[in-house]
Amino acid sequence: MLERFFNESKDHGMVNEFVADSFPLPACKLVRQRSTKLYTDKSYLGYCAVRQEFFLGFKLHMICDVFGHPKQMLFLPASTSDIAGLRAIDLQLPKNSALYADKAYNDYCYEDRLIQEQQIHLMPIRKKNSTRKGGGYLAKIRQRKRKI
């Protein structure tokens, strides 16, 4: 019954919470840099913090709804930062929607511009030294929604 409700709500456009994140798509490891001829430009050099290694390839920047269904995505060179990838995506989200993200998406000017122009509320997890505090109950909501 609950699954049917979620399917119906997605069909009617009632979903207004989304998650933004990026992940690496390595073409090869840095050890093979001299033998590869495809990705010679430095813009394809990226760092995977989870594996603690450098790689050559791309980064996939993706926006999903809170149910885990992808809505928008963009392939960019691996050296592109997360916030630059989000700026490059043409956001086509409904008005008054919430976009949850991790600490790499902290940009106060871009947050203000999204609210003014498209009525999209970018809610990244805040760093400890942030000037805009997002603690308390709102921080718990951000943490749970982002971990979809």
Side-chain angles (χ1 to χ4, degrees), residues 19-106:
V19 180
D21 208 356
S22 68
F23 56 90
L25 296 173
C28 66
K29 293 184 180 183
L30 194 62
V31 179
R32 309 223 184 277
Q33 181 181 11
R34 294 181 187 219
S35 63
T36 185
K37 295 179 184 176
L38 292 176
Y39 306 110
T40 56
D41 192 13
K42 288 190 176 190
S43 66
Y44 294 105
L45 176 64
Y47 180 72
C48 180
V50 174
R51 296 181 185 158
Q52 296 180 351
E53 66 182 9
F54 288 92
F55 68 95
L56 293 173
F58 296 93
K59 240 188 210 179
L60 178 64
H61 300 270
M62 184 178 289
I63 296 176
C64 299
D65 62 7
V66 290
F67 303 111
H69 299 99
K71 297 298 179 187
Q72 290 180 277
M73 64 183 76
L74 182 64
F75 289 95
L76 291 174
S79 64
T80 308
S81 67
D82 289 348
I83 191 66
L86 183 64
R87 285 189 206 121
I89 295 176
D90 181 27
L91 292 176
Q92 297 175 356
L93 302 177
K95 290 188 177 193
N96 294 322
S97 61
L99 183 61
Y100 301 104
D102 58 5
K103 292 179 185 180
Y105 293 92
N106 277 320

